[in-house]
Amino acid sequence: QVQLVESGGGLVQAGGSLRLSCTASGRTVGSNTMGWFRQAPGSEREFVASSGKSAWNPDNKYVSESLKGRFTISRDNSGNTLQLQMNDLKPEDTAVYFCAFATVAYKSGGLSRQDRYNYWGRGTQVTVSS
């Protein structure tokens, strides 16, 4: 079992920044991928970014093409804390942001398929005012 706890959400004005964190605990040893997804009101949950860790690539980071340049994903040295730095936020970034953990990792590219993730956090609200 893996437990995920997100933090760092809040209310910010357009153009501002927020940094989300997700801490994983439990059985986190071995190849894995941690990812961020978001779900806006009335919309489906969508992929934001992922960070894979494996023997083939210990730092496989990927950000959705539409968010590159504004969002950055990173992990701490332990590999158990995932962060999402969000800059130049826009009202359309308003959503609940979820952290997820998968027991698989790819050598390159992002893991955007939600059904490949085994564990999910409860989410943290991000609201961007215009």
Side-chain angles (χ1 to χ4, degrees):
Q1 289 284 339
V2 175
Q3 294 78 41
L4 301 170
V5 178
E6 303 107 330
S7 62
L11 173 64
V12 64
Q13 287 188 331
S17 299
L18 278 176
R19 189 177 184 89
L20 305 183
S21 292
C22 172
T23 299
S25 60
R27 299 184 65 178
T28 61
V29 177
S31 299
N32 62 71
T33 299
M34 294 182 71
W36 287 103
F37 291 79
R38 68 183 184 182
Q39 187 168 20
S43 299
E44 294 185 353
R45 190 160 55 187
E46 65 174 355
F47 172 76
V48 173
S50 65
S51 172
K53 184 181 75 169
S54 67
W56 313 278
N57 188 347
D59 190 21
N60 178 23
K61 293 183 285 193
Y62 185 86
V63 176
S64 172
E65 290 294 328
S66 63
L67 298 174
K68 280 183 179 178
R70 296 195 300 123
F71 288 20
T72 304
I73 191 170
S74 62
R75 283 210 210 191
D76 71 348
N77 290 335
S78 73
N80 290 333
T81 299
L82 182 73
Q83 295 183 319
L84 183 70
Q85 178 67 41
M86 305 184 293
N87 298 327
D88 190 24
L89 283 163
K90 305 176 187 300
E92 51 264 41
D93 294 318
T94 295
V96 177
Y97 284 70
F98 297 91
C99 177
F101 185 99
T103 55
V104 295
Y106 296 144
K107 188 176 182 179
S108 62
L111 183 56
S112 61
R113 285 180 53 178
Q114 297 183 45
D115 62 351
R116 300 307 305 272
Y117 287 85
N118 310 93
Y119 304 97
W120 292 82
R122 293 190 173 187
T124 184
Q125 176 70 47
V126 171
T127 302
V128 184
S129 63
S130 57

